[in-house]
Amino acid sequence: MTLHIRNEFNGLFKQNTADMQFLTRLFNAHFAWLILTLGLLLSLSTAWIVKQAIESDAAHRFEFAAAEVTLKIEERLQAYALILQSGVAFFNGSTDTVDRHQWRDFVDTLREHPSVSGIQGIGFSKVIHPEDLQEHVDSVRAEGFPEYTVYPAGERPLYTSIVYLEPLDWRNMRAIGFDMFSEPVRRVAMEKARDTGKASLSGKVELVQEVDTDIQAGTLMYAPVYRQGDVIDSVEARRSALLGWVYSPYRMKDLMSQVFIDWTTIEDKVLGLRIYDGTDENPERLLFTNYSSLDDLKQSSIFNQNIKLNFNGTDWLLVFDAKEASANISYLSAWAVLFSGFALSGLLCGLMLSLNTTRQRANLIADNLTKEIQKRESLLKESEFRWRFAIEGAGDGLWDWNLADNSVFFSSRLKEMLGYDANEISSNFDEWRSRVHSKDLKHTLSEIQAHLDGHTDLYSHEYRLKCKDGSWKWVFARGVVVERDADNKPLRMIGTHSDITSRKETDEKLQLAASVFSHAREGVMITDTSGHVIDVNEAFTHITGFSADEVIGKNSRILSSGRHDKEFYASIWNSLKQKGFWHGEIWNRRKTGEVYAEILTISAVNDEDGAARHYVAIFSDITSVKEYQTRLESIAHYDVLTRLPNRVLLSDRLHQAIAQVKRNRKMLAVAFIDLDGFKAVNDNHGHQIGDELLIAISARLKAAVREGDTIARIGGDEFIVAMVDLGFREECYPMLDRLLSVVSKPVKIGEFTRQVSASIGVTFYPQEENLDADQLQRQADHAMYQAKLKGKNRYHVFEDL
């Protein structure tokens, strides 16, 4: 009875145990699939977030590149306008008409600077009235141009002709004599320049310099030249005083190739650019594109932006886009996250299912353990060791080398890694050896031998293996001797191969990036978010004079020049926080204390949450460009011969003086000086003697006036003096006597002595009528003529008329 109860109890216990094992296996299988599903979803969401971050960064780089290109074009147009204004100043500063040789020398001087590159030429177009046309043609033919004529032919109320255009090569020679005012598009720009007094840009034209090959869209820039001494305070006055235009023609592709020289983003078409004349995308008004064919334009754009550029009333539309084929966006990191997540999820699921299956196998083995126990123990130990090593190798390729017969077991994963099926590779050591790269074989065999001899605890080495398709894969091999004989001779070695090709490619990219950082011509500085320097490159040291050791760890304020206020730096930080970058010009200080100008770009480097972690500043020294711009501005505002202020700067000074009188209730005197007898010196002794005489008298006049007063040369032998802060009129009379005295003193020029005198007309401000600067100059001019009528070498007050 007792035995029966015991047997029944044991049966029930075994049945319950089997049921529990079944339920456990079922739960483990479902849990493994649940883990796989969650892992796949998490991998997809993470990869999507990384993809969005990559595209956002690409969009920021695209917008930054478009803004920088626009700035370069604006700077180049302003530089060209200054060049034309210097030409106008050259005409105004000449004592006589500018001839062809003088114009060629002037243009050759300008062309020495790289800012003039991209210009087809610099010329002068002269206004010709119908009654003067034949006389003009005859005079130019007499200069050595027997076939010269003004074209196109036909009667018109007004003619113009290109009389000077340098360099006078075969292209520009085609333009000599062309009446640009007869063509509607050019005429609109010429009229705008004439009526406003400012440089004006034409619409799209085909230049007369074009021939049958390499025809490009063109545009022209005009700056008006007015008759010296004429008052140009209204549109009618400017039209009446117009002598012609200093102008430059531009072939757009040649112009843009100079603007974007060393600019690989445009040249490599990573950034697409089209420039239209006007404010809409009209194909008929396309000025420039860096696309080589219409098929390129038909590709879909991943980014695009339109920017309007206005130059003195002329609009250009700049259309930027980045094509999908050339956007240079790498989704490698997003794909890496996705596939790594998939692989990890699959590995975890497989591991759990494998563990569940292993339990089943263990239960079966336990039921049959009484039979062949020693044989099963040996096989189980061998299998357990091999697969434990494979698991520790993170699922990489497995190899098992029997040194006794030189046979090698290669796992399916290892063969798959090289592109082979399970039965395609021979299982011997020579097969492996034949696949090792010739440059890696000697070192690899040396590392293996060192481990076999017992010199290392673990064999590990990186080398290249040849794949089925002939390509090479970088692998990281690890192995260990697991069996030796009584004499410590190795009998068996087991190891794994890990595919590290992607890591090697990443390392090469990092090395390339480090090389670019070190050898870039632009200075590079990396800081933390508080502005403390983390690293700089060699170009930084070359530009600033500071070595890396002198600035690393210090705040970037060490470079501050003191020229900018707190609001300027606050605007930089605001731009970095809101846009992630800042670009512009800034003045900094070198280690020597010298202040220099630089074009600076600062970009934020964000972490995966979008928060700034570092800032990268890239800059170039543009001090020489700034100095050249200053020289051009000097040419535009100062007389070329005497270095005195010219008519443009005088007008500005008079307006300031009138405003000052209104504030402090003082008086202003305006004196018009004309030299007596200067024309005779010029005619009898030549322009060179006349120029030297003007230089000497200008120096005397400048030394005679008070500090704060202005002495200006307005043309020929005419000067104007503005005397400010006068308490009463008679206070300026001694100054007028002094001016008469210094002019009338003899001037020694070489071996000869020359002497002239001056007639001065003077007027005062304020008066009963509210006069402007031009009216004051006219009053002083009238008074000066009265002084000449009364015998010269004297001054006359306007009120005495």
Side-chain angles (χ1 to χ4, degrees):
M1 181 68 177
T2 304
L3 180 60
H4 174 72
I5 293 173
R6 182 185 299 146
N7 290 336
E8 188 174 19
F9 175 78
N10 289 337
L12 291 172
F13 179 79
K14 290 180 179 179
Q15 182 64 38
N16 290 335
T17 301
D19 292 341
M20 289 298 294
Q21 291 175 347
F22 173 78
L23 291 174
T24 300
R25 291 196 300 272
L26 185 61
F27 173 80
N28 289 339
H30 282 80
F31 185 74
W33 289 110
L34 177 62
I35 291 297
L36 176 62
T37 302
L38 293 176
L40 295 178
L41 291 175
L42 181 61
S43 299
L44 283 170
S45 62
T46 304
W48 175 257
I49 292 173
V50 173
K51 175 178 176 293
Q52 293 296 102
I54 291 171
E55 292 179 350
S56 175
D57 179 67
H60 283 307
R61 287 187 282 108
F62 170 79
E63 292 172 0
F64 168 73
E68 192 164 12
V69 168
T70 303
L71 180 61
K72 279 181 172 289
I73 295 175
E74 288 178 332
E75 289 177 345
R76 184 52 64 104
L77 290 179
Q78 292 296 339
Y80 289 166
L82 278 176
I83 290 170
L84 296 189
Q85 289 297 339
S86 68
V88 173
F90 182 69
F91 266 92
N92 291 336
S94 299
T95 59
D96 202 353
T97 303
V98 175
D99 61 31
R100 193 175 306 278
H101 299 292
Q102 291 173 327
W103 183 253
R104 182 185 302 118
D105 294 342
F106 171 73
V107 174
D108 288 344
T109 302
L110 288 179
R111 294 180 64 223
E112 294 176 358
H113 196 273
S115 291
V116 184
S117 59
I119 295 180
Q120 181 65 29
I122 304 175
F124 175 68
S125 178
K126 183 178 181 180
V127 171
I128 307 169
H129 295 283
E131 61 272 16
D132 301 326
L133 178 60
Q134 188 57 48
E135 180 182 353
H136 165 76
V137 171
D138 293 341
S139 66
V140 175
R141 290 178 176 178
E143 293 179 16
F145 297 89
E147 297 180 359
Y148 172 81
T149 186
V150 176
Y151 70 95
E155 295 185 359
R156 294 185 286 278
L158 183 69
Y159 296 88
T160 69
S161 174
I162 300 173
V163 292
Y164 304 151
L165 183 56
E166 297 294 337
L168 195 58
D169 54 20
W170 66 272
R171 276 188 187 274
N172 287 337
M173 190 65 193
R174 293 166 56 90
I176 296 298
F178 178 55
D179 183 356
M180 294 186 286
F181 206 70
S182 66
E183 194 275 318
V185 177
R186 292 175 173 85
R187 183 167 62 248
V188 169
M190 296 168 78
E191 289 175 340
K192 184 186 296 183
R194 176 196 66 191
D195 294 345
T196 63
K198 298 179 180 179
S200 178
L201 201 61
S202 78
K204 177 183 176 181
V205 299
E206 181 177 314
L207 301 178
V208 295
Q209 288 93 331
E210 295 293 352
V211 292
D212 294 336
T213 59
D214 189 27
I215 296 177
Q216 302 180 17
T219 185
L220 304 99
M221 186 181 293
Y222 299 91
V225 178
Y226 300 108
R227 187 180 301 106
Q228 296 184 31
D230 283 16
V231 178
I232 50 174
D233 56 352
S234 66
V235 172
E236 291 74 12
R238 294 189 186 98
R239 293 178 178 178
S240 175
L242 182 69
L243 294 177
W245 296 265
V246 175
Y247 87 105
S248 283
Y250 312 106
R251 304 177 82 221
M252 286 302 295
K253 287 184 181 179
D254 296 345
L255 172 63
M256 291 299 119
S257 67
Q258 293 299 321
V259 172
F260 302 122
I261 192 168
D262 297 330
W263 185 266
T264 57
T265 303
I266 290 291
E267 293 298 327
D268 296 341
K269 300 183 180 60
V270 175
L271 185 69
L273 171 61
R274 285 168 285 153
I275 302 177
Y276 293 92
D277 171 26
T279 57
D280 57 351
E281 297 183 37
N282 184 348
E284 297 297 326
R285 305 182 75 176
L286 179 65
L287 284 169
F288 170 78
T289 179
N290 65 334
Y291 290 115
S292 57
S293 68
L294 293 177
D295 292 337
D296 293 339
L297 291 174
K298 294 177 182 178
Q299 297 180 17
S300 59
S301 299
I302 190 170
F303 302 121
N304 57 73
Q305 184 178 10
N306 291 4
I307 299 178
K308 292 182 180 179
L309 187 152
N310 182 277
F311 178 80
N312 291 347
T314 299
D315 291 318
W316 279 4
L317 178 65
L318 277 59
V319 180
F320 298 91
D321 48 36
K323 302 301 181 184
E324 292 179 349
S326 59
N328 200 23
I329 300 178
S330 174
Y331 294 101
L332 182 62
S333 56
W335 285 112
V337 169
L338 181 63
F339 289 131
S340 298
F342 280 8
L344 184 60
S345 300
L347 180 63
L348 185 58
C349 177
L351 180 61
M352 295 183 68
L353 291 175
S354 177
L355 290 174
N356 194 29
T357 303
T358 302
R359 286 197 186 94
Q360 290 179 301
R361 190 179 299 153
N363 290 333
L364 292 174
I365 292 173
D367 293 339
N368 300 292
L369 191 60
T370 54
K371 296 179 181 180
E372 304 179 52
I373 186 167
Q374 292 186 359
K375 180 180 178 181
R376 292 296 182 187
E377 278 185 347
S378 177
L379 292 174
L380 182 62
K381 286 181 180 179
E382 182 177 345
S383 176
E384 182 181 359
F385 188 89
R386 181 179 294 170
W387 291 109
R388 183 174 72 247
F389 198 94
I391 291 173
E392 291 175 354
D396 295 326
L398 175 69
W399 51 268
D400 188 343
W401 181 19
N402 186 336
L403 279 78
D405 59 8
N406 221 24
S407 63
V408 183
F409 165 79
F410 298 111
S411 70
S412 299
R413 175 71 187 99
L414 189 149
K415 296 177 182 179
E416 179 185 349
M417 188 186 303
L418 299 178
Y420 290 95
D421 294 334
N423 57 354
E424 283 192 276
I425 298 182
S426 302
S427 298
N428 58 71
F429 182 78
D430 292 336
E431 174 70 24
W432 167 84
R433 178 172 180 161
S434 67
R435 296 190 174 279
V436 179
H437 197 286
S438 59
K439 293 184 179 180
D440 303 333
L441 181 60
K442 182 178 180 181
H443 191 198
T444 302
L445 293 176
S446 176
E447 291 291 321
I448 293 175
Q449 191 62 48
H451 180 67
L452 294 177
D453 294 341
H455 299 314
T456 59
D457 296 330
L458 179 70
Y459 159 69
S460 62
H461 184 55
E462 296 179 357
Y463 56 90
R464 286 164 286 184
L465 281 178
K466 190 174 185 179
C467 299
K468 183 178 180 179
D469 60 4
S471 62
W472 296 92
K473 270 194 189 300
W474 277 98
V475 297
F476 175 49
R478 290 173 292 180
V480 63
V481 173
V482 297
E483 186 178 353
R484 294 179 183 268
D485 61 12
D487 297 327
N488 204 34
K489 181 180 179 181
L491 300 176
R492 184 181 177 195
M493 184 175 179
I494 294 180
T496 61
H497 280 164
S498 301
D499 186 353
I500 60 171
T501 305
S502 296
R503 195 201 77 195
K504 282 289 187 179
E505 292 174 350
T506 301
D507 290 345
E508 289 179 2
K509 291 180 180 179
L510 291 175
Q511 291 175 0
L512 178 60
S515 176
V516 171
F517 174 79
S518 300
H519 299 96
R521 292 184 301 173
E522 292 80 8
V524 181
M525 177 176 64
I526 304 174
T527 73
D528 59 19
T529 53
S530 62
H532 289 87
V533 179
I534 296 175
D535 200 3
V536 297
N537 68 346
E538 293 181 3
F540 173 95
T541 300
H542 177 73
I543 294 173
T544 67
F546 287 100
S547 66
D549 294 337
E550 290 174 317
V551 296
I552 291 177
K554 297 182 180 179
N555 195 281
S556 57
R557 286 192 297 268
I558 191 174
L559 302 174
S560 176
S561 65
R563 287 196 177 188
H564 305 291
D565 54 21
K566 294 180 179 179
E567 288 74 13
F568 175 79
Y569 293 106
S571 67
I572 294 178
W573 284 106
N574 288 336
S575 178
L576 289 174
K577 292 177 181 178
Q578 295 174 6
K579 301 179 182 178
F581 71 92
W582 180 87
H583 176 77
E585 296 180 1
I586 190 171
W587 289 90
N588 274 336
R589 188 180 303 275
R590 307 187 204 273
K591 181 180 178 180
T592 60
E594 175 192 358
V595 175
Y596 68 98
E598 65 181 45
I599 187 76
L600 171 65
T601 299
I602 308 175
S603 301
V605 180
N606 299 330
D607 58 20
E608 59 273 10
D609 297 325
R613 294 185 60 186
H614 302 96
Y615 293 113
V616 177
I618 303 175
F619 61 92
S620 300
D621 188 344
I622 60 169
T623 308
S624 61
V625 176
K626 285 292 184 183
E627 291 174 349
Y628 183 69
Q629 289 178 349
T630 301
R631 289 199 297 271
L632 287 180
E633 291 175 358
S634 175
I635 293 174
H637 292 91
Y638 287 88
D639 179 57
V640 176
L641 179 66
T642 64
R643 305 310 301 159
L644 294 177
N646 61 12
R647 186 185 297 272
V648 176
L649 185 55
L650 172 66
S651 177
D652 181 67
R653 296 273 180 88
L654 285 176
H655 282 92
Q656 293 182 24
I658 291 172
Q660 182 179 346
V661 168
K662 293 178 180 178
R663 288 194 304 270
N664 59 21
R665 299 183 182 278
K666 294 277 189 173
M667 296 190 69
L668 165 68
V670 178
F672 194 112
I673 303 174
D674 185 86
L675 301 184
D676 304 324
F678 175 77
K679 186 176 184 303
V681 173
N682 225 15
D683 293 342
N684 296 330
H685 302 286
H687 294 302
Q688 182 176 356
I689 298 298
D691 287 348
E692 292 183 12
L693 180 60
L694 283 175
I695 293 171
I697 292 177
S698 297
R700 292 178 180 180
L701 291 173
K702 185 175 181 181
V705 300
R706 302 172 303 170
E707 183 178 358
D709 294 342
T710 297
I711 172 71
R713 180 184 178 219
I714 62 173
D717 58 350
E718 297 176 337
F719 302 85
I720 286 184
V721 179
M723 293 171 275
V724 298
D725 289 333
L726 299 176
F728 47 91
R729 297 187 176 190
E730 291 76 10
E731 189 176 338
C732 77
Y733 293 163
M735 171 64 69
L736 298 175
D737 290 331
R738 187 158 64 250
L739 295 175
L740 290 172
S741 175
V742 298
V743 171
S744 62
K745 291 181 179 179
V747 177
K748 186 173 180 59
I749 302 174
E751 300 178 355
F752 303 97
T753 300
R754 302 288 178 261
Q755 185 173 15
V756 295
S757 61
S759 296
I760 304 176
V762 63
T763 189
F764 298 93
Y765 184 88
Q767 300 179 22
E768 292 182 0
E769 297 182 6
N770 190 17
L771 304 179
D772 59 20
D774 290 335
Q775 291 171 318
L776 289 175
Q777 292 183 62
R778 285 200 296 269
Q779 288 184 352
D781 186 16
H782 293 162
M784 180 272 295
Y785 278 110
Q786 291 300 314
K788 283 187 177 292
L789 293 174
K790 292 183 178 182
K792 304 180 181 179
N793 194 23
R794 67 189 66 234
Y795 66 83
H796 190 89
V797 179
F798 178 74
E799 284 187 345
D800 294 340
L801 293 176

